[in-house]
Amino acid sequence: DGGITQSPKYLFRKEGQNVTLSCEQNLNHDAMYWYRQDPGQGLRLIYYSQIVNDFQKGDIAEGYSVSREKKESFPLTVTSAQKNPTAFYLCASIRLGSEGKLFFGSGTQLSVL
Amino acid sequence: DQQVKQNSPSLSVQEGRISILNCDYTNSMFDYFLWYKKYPAEGPTFLISISSIKDKNEDGRFTVFLNKSAKHLSLHIVPSQPGDSAVYFCAARRSNDYKLSFGAGTTVTVRA
């Protein structure tokens, strides 16, 4: 079955540590997105990529970095510069030219030790 | 600046009755609107959408209404079932821009 796989499900970060969240899709989708969900808030866009080797900042990119070396993969690194990293992180993808319905992964809960 | 707003953080409804969720937007360039359903610790799943050329779209128990002049849309769930208990997010985008702007969500609880 095609889908979006995020790993790990749960992740803990120590102070000053960089951590990387994985996102892989086998839907042959062109564009991929990273959103962050905090309690009582909507999903906020961190980074997105519409083509391999290219990506753009979203609304809250500070303290995060991404890469898009393969069409299927869009890993997100939460750097030590992100002072409030505890959140639920969601990866999504879409085929450009389609209706605009994003497909989401099952998410990664990141917590700070 | 939040461009999509869901002003009701929660809604409690009795099983079998209608659930009405509301959503307002400020960006007049938005022309495609979606509703997503989300369970705790899971990713959102697509529920229903509507284009700005329509004012109503229906899919089974779910109907979305769009009032462009008021920049308002609503989701009706009839009849509500226990499995509908979840967080519902309203989202919107512009043509040729696949980035979605999301509201804060409304938590629906269906009481037996």
Side-chain angles (χ1 to χ4, degrees):
Chain A
D1 285 341
I4 302 175
T5 302
Q6 289 187 240
S7 63
K9 183 69 175 174
Y10 300 96
L11 187 58
F12 297 91
R13 193 192 89 166
K14 296 180 181 177
E15 289 290 336
Q17 185 183 39
N18 292 352
V19 292
T20 297
L21 285 61
S22 171
C23 178
E24 303 276 335
Q25 55 97 2
N26 60 3
L27 299 166
N28 198 32
H29 284 175
D30 312 286
M32 298 185 73
Y33 302 79
W34 275 104
Y35 284 89
R36 166 180 171 146
Q37 183 193 9
D38 294 277
Q41 297 194 40
L43 281 63
R44 293 183 291 167
L45 182 63
I46 303 172
Y47 266 101
Y48 65 102
S49 167
Q50 294 189 324
I51 193 170
V52 174
N53 293 322
D54 188 44
F55 48 82
Q56 284 77 42
K57 293 182 179 180
D59 301 318
I60 54 165
E62 186 175 351
Y64 300 97
S65 66
V66 293
S67 63
R68 187 88 185 276
E69 297 177 2
K70 299 185 301 181
K71 186 176 184 179
E72 302 80 15
S73 179
F74 192 41
L76 173 74
T77 297
V78 184
T79 74
S80 57
Q82 171 51 242
K83 298 307 178 187
N84 186 23
T86 297
F88 190 59
Y89 290 85
L90 287 158
C91 180
S93 70
I94 188 172
R95 187 179 74 250
L96 297 180
S98 67
E99 270 188 333
K101 184 174 68 176
L102 282 184
F103 289 86
F104 283 87
S106 57
T108 294
Q109 175 64 50
L110 175 62
S111 303
V112 177
L113 290 176
Chain B
D1 182 27
Q2 198 157 11
Q3 300 183 76
V4 179
K5 299 179 182 179
Q6 294 176 257
N7 293 320
S8 297
S10 62
L11 172 69
S12 180
V13 63
Q14 194 166 13
E15 182 178 0
R17 305 296 289 266
I18 184 172
S19 294
I20 300 177
L21 290 73
N22 294 302
C23 178
D24 298 293
Y25 60 96
T26 57
N27 189 336
S28 58
M29 299 298 290
F30 287 150
D31 58 5
Y32 192 70
F33 306 89
L34 307 90
W35 285 94
Y36 281 83
K37 177 180 180 180
K38 184 182 180 303
Y39 294 116
E42 293 184 10
T45 55
F46 170 77
L47 197 56
I48 192 169
S49 62
I50 188 167
S51 164
S52 61
I53 62 174
K54 297 183 176 180
D55 54 19
K56 177 183 175 181
N57 189 26
E58 190 172 355
D59 184 2
R61 295 186 298 113
F62 303 92
T63 303
V64 57
F65 296 91
L66 175 63
N67 182 335
K68 289 187 293 294
S69 61
K71 295 192 181 66
H72 176 83
L73 63 155
S74 61
L75 174 68
H76 292 207
I77 307 174
V78 183
S80 299
Q81 299 175 354
D84 296 332
S85 296
V87 179
Y88 291 78
F89 289 100
C90 174
R93 72 173 183 93
R94 298 176 297 166
S95 296
N96 301 320
D97 183 352
Y98 291 86
K99 303 191 304 292
L100 287 179
S101 294
F102 285 85
T106 296
T107 300
V108 172
T109 302
V110 180
R111 309 185 310 272

